[in-house]
Amino acid sequence: MSVVLPFNPIAEMAPEPSLEGIVTLVQADMGRVNALILSRTGSEVTMIPEVAQHLISSGGKRLRPMLTLATGALSGYEGDGTVKLAASVEFMHTATLLHDDVVDDSEMRRGKLAARMLWGNEASVLVGDFLLGQAFRMMIEVGNMRALDILSTAAVVIAEGEVAQLAAAKNIATDEEAYLAVIRGKTAELFAAACEVGPVLAGRSEAEQAACRAYGMNLGIAFQLVDDALDYGGSQADLGKNVGDDFREGKITLPIVLAVRRADEAERGFWRRCLEQSEIGEGDLERALALLTRHGAIGETVERARTYGAAAKKALDGFSAGPAKHALLDVVDFCISRVR
Amino acid sequence: MSVVLPFNPIAEMAPEPSLEGIVTLVQADMGRVNALILSRTGSEVTMIPEVAQHLISSGGKRLRPMLTLATGALSGYEGDGTVKLAASVEFMHTATLLHDDVVDDSEMRRGKLAARMLWGNEASVLVGDFLLGQAFRMMIEVGNMRALDILSTAAVVIAEGEVAQLAAAKNIATDEEAYLAVIRGKTAELFAAACEVGPVLAGRSEAEQAACRAYGMNLGIAFQLVDDALDYGGSQADLGKNVGDDFREGKITLPIVLAVRRADEAERGFWRRCLEQSEIGEGDLERALALLTRHGAIGETVERARTYGAAAKKALDGFSAGPAKHALLDVVDFCISRVR
């Protein structure tokens, strides 16, 4: 009996996108970043390393610090600074996650119980503050005023984005522009800052700094769009959190914006009841998924992500080919490939 | 009929301690600090200025920024830097208050509803993050690396103190040393940093920087000791919050540490039930107040505050007399006079 092997020409031609390129590129420095992260979560107040390391060791990809190291490599930087800034970026991100979980009443994070479920909201708020303070201390140690300005501005813009998201929540009149402003702030700004400080430390031209920033900004938007699509399409195991979390929290993400725009009166009433009045019953998530599918809202969200991903890649046009550029381009494909 | 006027020789000799000296000293610069505070709470996300200004305009004394300006004046500083650092210090303080209210489930703050009661815990957490970010941006604008180091370290130490307080809460075995470590972190560190950056910007000697820091640290400890005494002794109108808040939250402050140390078995059982098991019923606050009084715990707490106050004054011995030194000495008397 002959065995017919399945043949998939696309899979043959393009290997599964992965983070392998960037992981290999920054491996040595990431070891130092991880050691720094470990030492700077230390405190005589034992609850601090417990809470911080619960989240930090929970298997995040550490994409943002890798981006700082990789854009540093792309810019020919050879000093110690990007290691400290990469750890700062990861601390800023971790602080945001701890505070987000309190803001969103989340029970799960990266497939584990959220820190607030184990140590309480109080500890999540305060350990987040500790990590933010440590992030600033590390960046101050690097002593580059422009990098300090970029990262401290990012801290402000992230908080603004989060508050804007809060203000837009439970309001189905939120439009695409308002949604984009939220995700630029809450997600893309830190990607942008993480990528901009590499060429800044390397003393590259303003045009090159702006190019790396644009890469990070567009990548960050694409990343969040994919996340928002996954919230209605991924499986719990893939995502490390529950499908439909955004729906239950009344978060107005792009899939919702698009579906509401195309809704008839009955559908609009459904979205209003579920998202504005938070009256969600049996079968409502399924109905929401069916409506999102019928209006092509998930597919279109992914399509936008591809567009921003292409813009991220294009931003690096001016840099010459090499392992760093190759790795950064692969990151874009990987982020978008998380959703099918 | 002759009228006999009451005669109180002490009141005749020493006028009521007040903040008048420091208020007059820094008046012009505080106008600029207040304008800066107003402009840096601005955001297109309207919820941010709403929440921030609710708290900022609620009649705090702005003691910490006044200390930065006054120690700057004491050090002969004449530039713009202390104005920005003073605003940074007030933002750090305001961010802490917003986060504290969430951590403590407080309903009142400075005699008004806490921000979290009006806008929710979410907004309190995120606007606190915004203000902390803005604080860092302002200090970065000043561009003095040593001041940046002092203030960012303070942010870390404050968070550590708050977490330590959380870990010590509902544990009547907390001793005086542990209590002091908590208040050094959560309160005195910001006073110390606020006072240290003045001579730092003025380029004064390390000894003078250390002296101003010691002044602030001792003043901050005295300030918190008085606060903790007031929590069991002040009236609601005086304090802007409810009497017995600490008791209801199971916070272990010095009055409690001292009363527990002198408690018999029955009293220890009472403290355990109220503070560790949070089983507080009718009449329990009154019983707590009676026990604190019987063991002289409030009086002794105030006595410690006087000792730290004296140390604060002594720290300024090396500075020559003048309006700035006079004002700073008066601040100590004022802080202690809040409790009788």
Side-chain angles (χ1 to χ4, degrees), chain A residues 42-45 47-48 95-96 99-100 102-105 119 121-123 125-127 129-137 139-145 148-149 152-153 155-157 159-164 166-167, chain B residues 42-45 47-48 95-96 99-100 102-105 119 121-123 125-127 129-137 139-145 148-149 152-153 155-157 159-164 166-167:
Chain A
S43 168
E44 284 178 20
V45 183
M47 199 192 272
I48 290 175
T96 313
H99 288 184
D100 274 2
V102 173
V103 167
D104 292 344
D105 280 328
W119 289 277
N121 278 344
E122 304 91 335
V125 170
L126 297 174
V127 175
D129 290 349
F130 173 86
L131 293 177
L132 202 55
Q134 288 289 53
F136 280 107
R137 284 189 70 186
M139 48 183 110
I140 287 166
E141 287 171 20
V142 176
N144 180 299
M145 293 310 284
L148 270 171
D149 183 33
S152 63
T153 300
V156 170
V157 172
E160 277 186 307
E162 301 265 2
V163 178
L166 202 61
Chain B
S43 168
E44 283 178 20
V45 184
M47 198 191 273
I48 290 175
T96 312
H99 287 185
D100 274 2
V102 173
V103 167
D104 293 344
D105 279 328
W119 289 276
N121 277 343
E122 304 90 335
V125 170
L126 298 175
V127 175
D129 292 348
F130 173 86
L131 292 176
L132 202 54
Q134 288 288 53
F136 280 106
R137 285 189 69 185
M139 49 183 109
I140 288 166
E141 288 171 21
V142 175
N144 181 300
M145 292 310 284
L148 270 171
D149 183 33
S152 64
T153 300
V156 170
V157 173
E160 277 186 307
E162 302 265 2
V163 178
L166 201 62

Side-chain angles (χ1 to χ4, degrees), chain A residues 80-102:
Chain A
D80 269 353
T82 49
V83 168
K84 280 188 176 170
L85 293 189
S88 293
V89 163
E90 185 67 3
F91 272 18
M92 287 174 68
H93 176 55
T94 308
T96 313
L97 294 184
L98 283 168
H99 288 184
D100 274 2
D101 284 342
V102 173

Side-chain angles (χ1 to χ4, degrees), chain A residues 40 63 68 94 99 104 127 159 249 259 266 286 337:
Chain A
R40 298 300 172 98
L63 186 53
T68 298
T94 308
H99 288 184
D104 292 344
V127 175
E249 290 163 19
E286 290 69 22
S337 76

